[in-house]
C-alpha cells in the first residue's frame, strides 16, 4: 500500500500519492485498532502518516496545509514514543 504511494511520489505524482498514502493510513489504522497486540500495524500507520506529511511538503502545500502537516508530524513523533512504551522489548523503525 505505502509502496505504491512511494512510487507515485517519486514520479512527482503528488496528488495521487496523497490519495494512496491516505488509503494506506486508513487500512493500517483499522488493523492497528483491531489488533493492538501487533506493533507492526501501528508502526506502518505512523510511517504512512509521516510520508503523507512529507508528500504535502513536497507539493509545496506548507502554507495552506501547515496545521495538517504539523499535526501529522507531531502524531508521528507521539506515536513512536508510545510504541517504545507499549513494546519496550521490540525495536521500532521510524523510516
Amino acid at each position: 500500500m505505502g509502496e505504491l504511494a512511494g512510487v507515485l511520489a517519486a514520479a512527482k505524482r503528488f496528488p495521487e500519492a496523497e490519495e494512496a498514502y491516505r488509503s494506506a493510513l486508513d487500512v493500517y489504522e483499522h488493523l492497528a485498532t483491531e489488533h493492538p497486540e501487533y506493533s507492526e500495524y501501528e508502526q506502518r500507520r505512523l510511517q504512512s502518516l509521516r510520508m503523507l506529511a512529507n508528500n504535502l511538503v513536497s507539493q509545496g502545500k506548507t502554507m495552506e496545509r501547515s496545521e495538517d502537516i504539523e499535526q501529522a508530524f507531531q502524531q508521528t513523533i507521539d506515536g513512536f514514543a508510545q510504541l517504545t512504551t507499549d513494546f519496550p522489548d521490540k525495536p521500532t523503525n521510524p523510516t
Side-chain angles (χ1 to χ4, degrees):
M1 275 174 276
E3 292 82 8
L4 171 60
V7 169
L8 292 167
K12 300 196 182 327
R13 294 167 58 181
F14 299 120
E16 294 168 87
E18 180 179 349
E19 187 176 316
Y21 283 126
R22 290 189 186 282
S23 293
L25 187 58
D26 288 343
V27 169
Y28 289 127
E29 190 168 306
H30 174 76
L31 289 170
T33 300
E34 292 293 315
H35 303 284
E37 68 277 14
Y38 296 115
S39 65
E40 292 82 6
Y41 295 139
E42 179 64 5
Q43 186 173 340
R44 288 185 184 259
R45 184 188 77 81
L46 293 168
Q47 290 169 338
S48 296
L49 184 61
R50 181 179 55 83
M51 294 307 295
L52 172 61
N54 286 339
N55 185 66
L56 293 172
V57 170
S58 295
Q59 290 182 60
K61 298 199 174 198
T62 53
M63 294 307 290
E64 67 265 22
R65 306 279 299 272
S66 63
E67 287 184 30
D68 294 337
I69 294 167
E70 182 179 351
Q71 183 179 25
F73 281 130
Q74 190 60 54
Q75 286 178 7
T76 302
I77 292 166
D78 295 344
F80 276 111
Q82 187 63 48
L83 271 178
T84 61
T85 300
D86 293 346
F87 298 92
D89 297 328
K90 185 162 187 136
T92 57
N93 179 10
T95 59

